[in-house]
Amino acid sequence: MTWQAAAILVAGFVVAGYFSYRQHLRYARVVNQVAAEENRGGVLLVTGRAKGKLRGAVVLLVVDRRRNAVTRALAMEGASVFTRFRERPELTGPLGTLTERAPSKAVAKAAADAMTMVSRLTAGQRAAA
């Protein structure tokens, strides 16, 4: 391998790392923004993710514990570091049918992952109530 090929390879890794970092910053910005907008009693903010061979998904759900329903949902789905969160009104509604309303398999897996987080966060409260 020549030094030019090694330099191109290293440059590719640097560019990929930079774009991954930028995506992480966008993710953190959206989570903080939604947390600030939905900051009220009886509401949970949970995330779920699904990884695939080529495509993945991340969902951000605002769950009303009293109604046991999703009141706001955002999803980031794709194979690129340029994907962004988008509002997903089809995911709002009862928790029991959340995965059935998902528009793709990746979003369904991410929603199921988020639902496990909801059950973990509300486990002690159900027993006390």
Side-chain angles (χ1 to χ4, degrees):
M1 182 190 304
T2 64
W3 70 271
Q4 292 96 346
I8 291 172
L9 189 64
V10 168
F13 281 121
V14 168
V15 169
Y18 172 75
F19 283 128
S20 294
Y21 178 70
R22 294 285 300 174
Q23 185 180 39
H24 171 72
L25 290 178
R26 280 194 308 267
Y27 171 82
R29 189 178 322 122
V30 169
V31 168
N32 290 332
Q33 178 185 359
V34 171
E37 291 171 357
E38 302 291 340
N39 186 15
R40 60 185 185 274
V43 173
L44 293 174
L45 176 63
V46 294
T47 62
R49 69 182 179 111
K51 294 176 81 174
K53 291 182 182 177
L54 297 177
R55 298 174 53 96
V58 177
V59 296
L60 183 62
L61 304 175
V62 177
V63 178
D64 186 349
R65 291 184 298 183
R66 294 178 195 118
R67 295 187 309 156
N68 207 23
V70 176
T71 58
R72 185 174 178 190
L74 293 93
M76 178 171 55
E77 178 181 18
S80 168
V81 293
F82 299 112
T83 59
R84 297 192 182 266
F85 276 105
R86 289 181 171 72
E87 293 282 343
R88 293 296 182 120
E90 65 270 14
L91 294 177
T92 59
L95 277 177
T97 59
L98 177 63
T99 56
E100 298 165 6
R101 295 188 308 269
S104 69
K105 283 185 179 181
V107 173
K109 285 182 184 178
D113 186 42
M115 286 177 48
T116 61
M117 184 61 67
V118 169
S119 66
R120 285 182 190 161
L121 292 173
T122 58
Q125 296 166 356
R126 288 183 193 154

